[in-house]
Amino acid sequence: MLKKIVIAGSAAAVILGAGTAALAASGPSSSPAPSSSSSTSAGTGAKAKAAHGKRSELKRALHATWVTRDGKASTTYVTHDAIRGEVTAVSATSITVKAADNVSQTYTLNSSTKVHSRADGKGKAGTISELMSGDKVLVAGTGTSTLTATQVLDATK
């Protein structure tokens, strides 16, 4: 089960965090957002444009919640959560992140939480003790009333 959670958290980090380091470093863009609509012409090109538009939306996502099955044939479900923003509080057992739209979420940290940093555009393993208030991060985790972080990507380092 933990392996599935880590994989799902990693997938969330990839989906929501594509370009996180660049976006976190550059801040909000003043250019208009790309349109997610596709052209009216039929065929593969229109579908590709529509899919690209949705990926662009995901790259700009500030926070999200989604539910997956807990295994291929399972009848139970796992609620996943992710947020991208600035660390406002961090300790050995929790992290609070505030997104650009002022939504704030607190996640429990534990020995299973994986921390990665984006040093010079390359990912490297990190530790919870390296996280600081003001860091730009993406946190992915699971839970409903209490969120537990499975992945923390520090885009500041």
Side-chain angles (χ1 to χ4, degrees), residues 36-70:
S36 65
S37 64
S38 63
S39 69
T40 58
S41 65
T44 309
K47 290 178 184 177
K49 279 186 175 181
H52 176 70
K54 295 300 177 190
R55 282 192 305 268
S56 292
E57 288 176 9
L58 287 173
K59 288 179 184 179
R60 295 188 321 266
L62 301 177
H63 44 89
T65 301
W66 66 100
V67 178
T68 61
R69 285 186 191 265
D70 188 20

mmCIF file of all heavy atoms in Angstrom, residues 36-70:
data_model
loop_
_atom_site.group_PDB
_atom_site.id
_atom_site.type_symbol
_atom_site.label_atom_id
_atom_site.label_comp_id
_atom_site.label_asym_id
_atom_site.label_seq_id
_atom_site.Cartn_x
_atom_site.Cartn_y
_atom_site.Cartn_z
ATOM 1 N N SER A 36 -7.154 26.468 -23.240
ATOM 2 C CA SER A 36 -7.268 25.020 -23.250
ATOM 3 C C SER A 36 -8.222 24.557 -24.336
ATOM 4 O O SER A 36 -8.486 23.391 -24.461
ATOM 5 C CB SER A 36 -7.724 24.516 -21.878
ATOM 6 O OG SER A 36 -9.022 24.983 -21.621
ATOM 7 N N SER A 37 -8.772 25.478 -25.128
ATOM 8 C CA SER A 37 -9.677 25.066 -26.187
ATOM 9 C C SER A 37 -8.882 24.576 -27.377
ATOM 10 O O SER A 37 -7.760 24.979 -27.613
ATOM 11 C CB SER A 37 -10.576 26.238 -26.598
ATOM 12 O OG SER A 37 -9.787 27.263 -27.144
ATOM 13 N N SER A 38 -9.490 23.702 -28.154
ATOM 14 C CA SER A 38 -8.824 23.177 -29.334
ATOM 15 C C SER A 38 -9.455 23.787 -30.569
ATOM 16 O O SER A 38 -10.509 24.382 -30.515
ATOM 17 C CB SER A 38 -8.941 21.664 -29.369
ATOM 18 O OG SER A 38 -10.301 21.291 -29.480
ATOM 19 N N SER A 39 -8.793 23.607 -31.693
ATOM 20 C CA SER A 39 -9.348 24.115 -32.938
ATOM 21 C C SER A 39 -10.553 23.285 -33.317
ATOM 22 O O SER A 39 -10.755 22.180 -32.830
ATOM 23 C CB SER A 39 -8.295 24.070 -34.040
ATOM 24 O OG SER A 39 -8.031 22.729 -34.374
ATOM 25 N N THR A 40 -11.364 23.801 -34.218
ATOM 26 C CA THR A 40 -12.573 23.098 -34.609
ATOM 27 C C THR A 40 -12.313 22.048 -35.668
ATOM 28 O O THR A 40 -13.201 21.307 -36.015
ATOM 29 C CB THR A 40 -13.622 24.104 -35.127
ATOM 30 O OG1 THR A 40 -13.040 24.818 -36.216
ATOM 31 C CG2 THR A 40 -14.066 25.028 -34.031
ATOM 32 N N SER A 41 -11.096 21.971 -36.193
ATOM 33 C CA SER A 41 -10.809 20.961 -37.203
ATOM 34 C C SER A 41 -10.764 19.585 -36.566
ATOM 35 O O SER A 41 -10.345 19.420 -35.433
ATOM 36 C CB SER A 41 -9.484 21.253 -37.901
ATOM 37 O OG SER A 41 -8.424 21.142 -36.982
ATOM 38 N N ALA A 42 -11.211 18.607 -37.317
ATOM 39 C CA ALA A 42 -11.248 17.247 -36.796
ATOM 40 C C ALA A 42 -9.867 16.628 -36.923
ATOM 41 O O ALA A 42 -9.032 17.099 -37.666
ATOM 42 C CB ALA A 42 -12.270 16.425 -37.575
ATOM 43 N N GLY A 43 -9.644 15.555 -36.183
ATOM 44 C CA GLY A 43 -8.404 14.813 -36.343
ATOM 45 C C GLY A 43 -7.515 14.863 -35.126
ATOM 46 O O GLY A 43 -7.852 15.412 -34.095
ATOM 47 N N THR A 44 -6.342 14.263 -35.255
ATOM 48 C CA THR A 44 -5.393 14.113 -34.169
ATOM 49 C C THR A 44 -4.868 15.442 -33.671
ATOM 50 O O THR A 44 -4.661 15.622 -32.481
ATOM 51 C CB THR A 44 -4.221 13.224 -34.619
ATOM 52 O OG1 THR A 44 -4.757 12.027 -35.179
ATOM 53 C CG2 THR A 44 -3.334 12.878 -33.461
ATOM 54 N N GLY A 45 -4.647 16.404 -34.570
ATOM 55 C CA GLY A 45 -4.105 17.699 -34.169
ATOM 56 C C GLY A 45 -4.982 18.403 -33.150
ATOM 57 O O GLY A 45 -4.496 18.962 -32.175
ATOM 58 N N ALA A 46 -6.290 18.377 -33.348
ATOM 59 C CA ALA A 46 -7.219 19.017 -32.419
ATOM 60 C C ALA A 46 -7.177 18.331 -31.058
ATOM 61 O O ALA A 46 -7.187 18.989 -30.018
ATOM 62 C CB ALA A 46 -8.640 18.998 -32.983
ATOM 63 N N LYS A 47 -7.112 17.011 -31.059
ATOM 64 C CA LYS A 47 -7.056 16.269 -29.800
ATOM 65 C C LYS A 47 -5.752 16.563 -29.062
ATOM 66 O O LYS A 47 -5.733 16.714 -27.854
ATOM 67 C CB LYS A 47 -7.194 14.769 -30.048
ATOM 68 C CG LYS A 47 -8.573 14.357 -30.485
ATOM 69 C CD LYS A 47 -8.638 12.869 -30.757
ATOM 70 C CE LYS A 47 -10.000 12.477 -31.285
ATOM 71 N NZ LYS A 47 -10.056 11.055 -31.628
ATOM 72 N N ALA A 48 -4.658 16.634 -29.816
ATOM 73 C CA ALA A 48 -3.356 16.927 -29.205
ATOM 74 C C ALA A 48 -3.357 18.321 -28.594
ATOM 75 O O ALA A 48 -2.829 18.534 -27.498
ATOM 76 C CB ALA A 48 -2.243 16.795 -30.229
ATOM 77 N N LYS A 49 -3.955 19.286 -29.284
ATOM 78 C CA LYS A 49 -4.028 20.647 -28.745
ATOM 79 C C LYS A 49 -4.837 20.679 -27.464
ATOM 80 O O LYS A 49 -4.475 21.347 -26.506
ATOM 81 C CB LYS A 49 -4.653 21.606 -29.763
ATOM 82 C CG LYS A 49 -3.702 22.089 -30.815
ATOM 83 C CD LYS A 49 -4.384 23.137 -31.670
ATOM 84 C CE LYS A 49 -3.430 23.741 -32.661
ATOM 85 N NZ LYS A 49 -4.093 24.772 -33.462
ATOM 86 N N ALA A 50 -5.971 19.956 -27.444
ATOM 87 C CA ALA A 50 -6.816 19.919 -26.246
ATOM 88 C C ALA A 50 -6.067 19.279 -25.090
ATOM 89 O O ALA A 50 -6.099 19.775 -23.964
ATOM 90 C CB ALA A 50 -8.110 19.166 -26.525
ATOM 91 N N ALA A 51 -5.361 18.186 -25.349
ATOM 92 C CA ALA A 51 -4.600 17.510 -24.297
ATOM 93 C C ALA A 51 -3.492 18.417 -23.786
ATOM 94 O O ALA A 51 -3.247 18.492 -22.583
ATOM 95 C CB ALA A 51 -4.024 16.199 -24.819
ATOM 96 N N HIS A 52 -2.811 19.114 -24.703
ATOM 97 C CA HIS A 52 -1.751 20.030 -24.290
ATOM 98 C C HIS A 52 -2.312 21.147 -23.418
ATOM 99 O O HIS A 52 -1.692 21.534 -22.425
ATOM 100 C CB HIS A 52 -1.047 20.619 -25.513
ATOM 101 C CG HIS A 52 -0.010 21.634 -25.147
ATOM 102 N ND1 HIS A 52 1.170 21.285 -24.531
ATOM 103 C CD2 HIS A 52 0.013 22.988 -25.255
ATOM 104 C CE1 HIS A 52 1.882 22.375 -24.290
ATOM 105 N NE2 HIS A 52 1.197 23.420 -24.733
ATOM 106 N N GLY A 53 -3.479 21.642 -23.744
ATOM 107 C CA GLY A 53 -4.112 22.692 -22.942
ATOM 108 C C GLY A 53 -4.390 22.233 -21.524
ATOM 109 O O GLY A 53 -4.197 22.971 -20.562
ATOM 110 N N LYS A 54 -4.855 21.004 -21.369
ATOM 111 C CA LYS A 54 -5.135 20.459 -20.033
ATOM 112 C C LYS A 54 -3.842 20.287 -19.244
ATOM 113 O O LYS A 54 -3.797 20.550 -18.061
ATOM 114 C CB LYS A 54 -5.887 19.124 -20.131
ATOM 115 C CG LYS A 54 -7.258 19.251 -20.730
ATOM 116 C CD LYS A 54 -8.127 20.175 -19.900
ATOM 117 C CE LYS A 54 -9.479 20.347 -20.547
ATOM 118 N NZ LYS A 54 -10.270 21.392 -19.937
ATOM 119 N N ARG A 55 -2.763 19.834 -19.916
ATOM 120 C CA ARG A 55 -1.481 19.704 -19.228
ATOM 121 C C ARG A 55 -0.988 21.072 -18.784
ATOM 122 O O ARG A 55 -0.430 21.218 -17.702
ATOM 123 C CB ARG A 55 -0.450 19.015 -20.122
ATOM 124 C CG ARG A 55 -0.630 17.515 -20.193
ATOM 125 C CD ARG A 55 0.564 16.844 -20.850
ATOM 126 N NE ARG A 55 0.876 17.358 -22.154
ATOM 127 C CZ ARG A 55 0.413 16.881 -23.299
ATOM 128 N NH1 ARG A 55 -0.408 15.866 -23.289
ATOM 129 N NH2 ARG A 55 0.769 17.425 -24.446
ATOM 130 N N SER A 56 -1.207 22.087 -19.606
ATOM 131 C CA SER A 56 -0.799 23.442 -19.233
ATOM 132 C C SER A 56 -1.538 23.892 -17.987
ATOM 133 O O SER A 56 -0.974 24.543 -17.115
ATOM 134 C CB SER A 56 -1.068 24.418 -20.381
ATOM 135 O OG SER A 56 -0.220 24.141 -21.461
ATOM 136 N N GLU A 57 -2.821 23.550 -17.893
ATOM 137 C CA GLU A 57 -3.597 23.895 -16.712
ATOM 138 C C GLU A 57 -3.030 23.196 -15.480
ATOM 139 O O GLU A 57 -2.928 23.793 -14.413
ATOM 140 C CB GLU A 57 -5.063 23.509 -16.899
ATOM 141 C CG GLU A 57 -5.802 24.401 -17.874
ATOM 142 C CD GLU A 57 -7.227 23.938 -18.127
ATOM 143 O OE1 GLU A 57 -7.706 23.022 -17.433
ATOM 144 O OE2 GLU A 57 -7.862 24.506 -19.022
ATOM 145 N N LEU A 58 -2.666 21.924 -15.619
ATOM 146 C CA LEU A 58 -2.110 21.190 -14.490
ATOM 147 C C LEU A 58 -0.784 21.785 -14.037
ATOM 148 O O LEU A 58 -0.491 21.819 -12.846
ATOM 149 C CB LEU A 58 -1.927 19.713 -14.843
ATOM 150 C CG LEU A 58 -3.204 18.904 -14.934
ATOM 151 C CD1 LEU A 58 -2.913 17.512 -15.452
ATOM 152 C CD2 LEU A 58 -3.914 18.839 -13.592
ATOM 153 N N LYS A 59 0.019 22.261 -14.978
ATOM 154 C CA LYS A 59 1.297 22.867 -14.617
ATOM 155 C C LYS A 59 1.094 24.124 -13.780
ATOM 156 O O LYS A 59 1.966 24.494 -13.008
ATOM 157 C CB LYS A 59 2.107 23.210 -15.871
ATOM 158 C CG LYS A 59 2.659 22.003 -16.580
ATOM 159 C CD LYS A 59 3.413 22.434 -17.819
ATOM 160 C CE LYS A 59 3.902 21.262 -18.616
ATOM 161 N NZ LYS A 59 4.606 21.695 -19.826
ATOM 162 N N ARG A 60 -0.029 24.781 -13.953
ATOM 163 C CA ARG A 60 -0.305 26.010 -13.204
ATOM 164 C C ARG A 60 -1.123 25.758 -11.939
ATOM 165 O O ARG A 60 -1.451 26.691 -11.215
ATOM 166 C CB ARG A 60 -1.052 27.002 -14.109
ATOM 167 C CG ARG A 60 -0.237 27.491 -15.280
ATOM 168 C CD ARG A 60 -0.923 28.614 -16.038
ATOM 169 N NE ARG A 60 -2.352 28.476 -16.192
ATOM 170 C CZ ARG A 60 -2.976 27.920 -17.249
ATOM 171 N NH1 ARG A 60 -2.261 27.427 -18.230
ATOM 172 N NH2 ARG A 60 -4.281 27.861 -17.308
ATOM 173 N N ALA A 61 -1.464 24.503 -11.673
ATOM 174 C CA ALA A 61 -2.301 24.170 -10.517
ATOM 175 C C ALA A 61 -1.620 24.590 -9.221
ATOM 176 O O ALA A 61 -0.416 24.408 -9.048
ATOM 177 C CB ALA A 61 -2.587 22.673 -10.488
ATOM 178 N N LEU A 62 -2.394 25.176 -8.325
ATOM 179 C CA LEU A 62 -1.882 25.584 -7.018
ATOM 180 C C LEU A 62 -2.117 24.506 -5.972
ATOM 181 O O LEU A 62 -1.271 24.261 -5.117
ATOM 182 C CB LEU A 62 -2.552 26.880 -6.570
ATOM 183 C CG LEU A 62 -2.361 28.079 -7.496
ATOM 184 C CD1 LEU A 62 -3.131 29.270 -6.960
ATOM 185 C CD2 LEU A 62 -0.899 28.399 -7.660
ATOM 186 N N HIS A 63 -3.288 23.870 -6.013
ATOM 187 C CA HIS A 63 -3.589 22.782 -5.086
ATOM 188 C C HIS A 63 -4.671 21.911 -5.703
ATOM 189 O O HIS A 63 -5.434 22.371 -6.562
ATOM 190 C CB HIS A 63 -4.010 23.290 -3.702
ATOM 191 C CG HIS A 63 -4.967 24.421 -3.717
ATOM 192 N ND1 HIS A 63 -6.325 24.253 -3.747
ATOM 193 C CD2 HIS A 63 -4.747 25.750 -3.739
ATOM 194 C CE1 HIS A 63 -6.910 25.440 -3.760
ATOM 195 N NE2 HIS A 63 -5.973 26.371 -3.765
ATOM 196 N N ALA A 64 -4.718 20.647 -5.277
ATOM 197 C CA ALA A 64 -5.667 19.702 -5.862
ATOM 198 C C ALA A 64 -5.950 18.567 -4.899
ATOM 199 O O ALA A 64 -5.128 18.247 -4.042
ATOM 200 C CB ALA A 64 -5.099 19.134 -7.166
ATOM 201 N N THR A 65 -7.120 17.968 -5.077
ATOM 202 C CA THR A 65 -7.508 16.764 -4.353
ATOM 203 C C THR A 65 -8.105 15.806 -5.370
ATOM 204 O O THR A 65 -8.899 16.212 -6.206
ATOM 205 C CB THR A 65 -8.555 17.080 -3.265
ATOM 206 O OG1 THR A 65 -8.009 18.036 -2.361
ATOM 207 C CG2 THR A 65 -8.951 15.835 -2.492
ATOM 208 N N TRP A 66 -7.704 14.536 -5.320
ATOM 209 C CA TRP A 66 -8.261 13.550 -6.220
ATOM 210 C C TRP A 66 -8.297 12.211 -5.509
ATOM 211 O O TRP A 66 -7.631 11.999 -4.515
ATOM 212 C CB TRP A 66 -7.482 13.478 -7.540
ATOM 213 C CG TRP A 66 -6.081 12.975 -7.429
ATOM 214 C CD1 TRP A 66 -5.646 11.719 -7.705
ATOM 215 C CD2 TRP A 66 -4.925 13.708 -6.997
ATOM 216 N NE1 TRP A 66 -4.287 11.626 -7.476
ATOM 217 C CE2 TRP A 66 -3.826 12.843 -7.055
ATOM 218 C CE3 TRP A 66 -4.718 15.023 -6.580
ATOM 219 C CZ2 TRP A 66 -2.539 13.233 -6.691
ATOM 220 C CZ3 TRP A 66 -3.440 15.415 -6.233
ATOM 221 C CH2 TRP A 66 -2.373 14.528 -6.289
ATOM 222 N N VAL A 67 -9.127 11.308 -6.033
ATOM 223 C CA VAL A 67 -9.335 10.002 -5.416
ATOM 224 C C VAL A 67 -8.986 8.924 -6.431
ATOM 225 O O VAL A 67 -9.346 9.029 -7.604
ATOM 226 C CB VAL A 67 -10.795 9.846 -4.950
ATOM 227 C CG1 VAL A 67 -11.035 8.469 -4.352
ATOM 228 C CG2 VAL A 67 -11.154 10.942 -3.951
ATOM 229 N N THR A 68 -8.279 7.887 -5.957
ATOM 230 C CA THR A 68 -7.947 6.747 -6.804
ATOM 231 C C THR A 68 -8.358 5.464 -6.097
ATOM 232 O O THR A 68 -8.548 5.446 -4.879
ATOM 233 C CB THR A 68 -6.436 6.666 -7.100
ATOM 234 O OG1 THR A 68 -5.730 6.499 -5.857
ATOM 235 C CG2 THR A 68 -5.945 7.896 -7.826
ATOM 236 N N ARG A 69 -8.486 4.411 -6.890
ATOM 237 C CA ARG A 69 -8.699 3.089 -6.284
ATOM 238 C C ARG A 69 -7.414 2.676 -5.585
ATOM 239 O O ARG A 69 -6.329 3.010 -6.027
ATOM 240 C CB ARG A 69 -9.013 2.050 -7.351
ATOM 241 C CG ARG A 69 -10.393 2.158 -7.906
ATOM 242 C CD ARG A 69 -10.617 0.970 -8.854
ATOM 243 N NE ARG A 69 -11.821 1.162 -9.612
ATOM 244 C CZ ARG A 69 -12.997 0.653 -9.260
ATOM 245 N NH1 ARG A 69 -13.096 -0.092 -8.170
ATOM 246 N NH2 ARG A 69 -14.058 0.865 -9.990
ATOM 247 N N ASP A 70 -7.550 1.919 -4.517
ATOM 248 C CA ASP A 70 -6.387 1.417 -3.784
ATOM 249 C C ASP A 70 -5.967 0.070 -4.368
ATOM 250 O O ASP A 70 -5.967 -0.942 -3.694
ATOM 251 C CB ASP A 70 -6.729 1.295 -2.301
ATOM 252 C CG ASP A 70 -5.525 0.958 -1.458
ATOM 253 O OD1 ASP A 70 -4.392 1.178 -1.924
ATOM 254 O OD2 ASP A 70 -5.710 0.467 -0.330
#
